[in-house]
Structures are given as structure tokens and as C-alpha cells.
Amino acid sequence: MNYIIGEMIAELSTSHTYVGGGDQPSKPHVSVGMLGADFEPDGGYFRISKIYLARTGMTPRARR
């Protein structure tokens, strides 16, 4: 029901109007990476100056 009401509000172009509570649709879990890098300016652009490796002691699951 929340999804339908949200879609109707969107069709009315009411800008910052929100719907809350009630049944919520399930959302898929999205994994994120643990990346790290340093950048430095280079002629109006940026260059990667260092890429950090994974920390020691991280579990294999955390490294994915």
C-alpha cells in the first residue's frame, strides 16, 4: 500500500512529500568494498599516488 501511495504522490509532482510506516518492500543487500587510495593533483587532474592493501586480520568475508 505504501508503494502505491508513494507512486500516486510522485505522479502528482508534489515534490518533497513522503509516505512512512506500514508494510515495507524488502530490498536486496548490497555489499560494499573496503578500498582506500591517496590522490594527488596532476596538471588539472588527479593521479592515484597510493593504493592501500587490505588490513591484516580481516576475515575472508570482510575482504570480499
Side-chain angles (χ1 to χ4, degrees), residues 4-62:
I4 294 170
I5 292 172
E7 290 297 306
M8 291 187 331
I9 290 172
E11 290 299 319
L12 294 172
S13 299
T14 57
S15 188
H16 292 87
T17 302
Y18 302 97
V19 177
D23 296 334
Q24 298 293 320
S26 62
K27 298 176 185 165
H29 175 74
V30 178
S31 297
V32 297
M34 296 183 178
L35 305 175
D38 286 337
F39 299 92
E40 61 186 27
D42 182 24
Y45 297 95
F46 285 91
R47 176 184 307 274
I48 298 173
S49 59
K50 179 174 179 162
I51 297 175
Y52 292 93
L53 301 176
R55 293 179 291 161
T56 58
M58 292 176 64
T59 64
R61 180 177 170 84

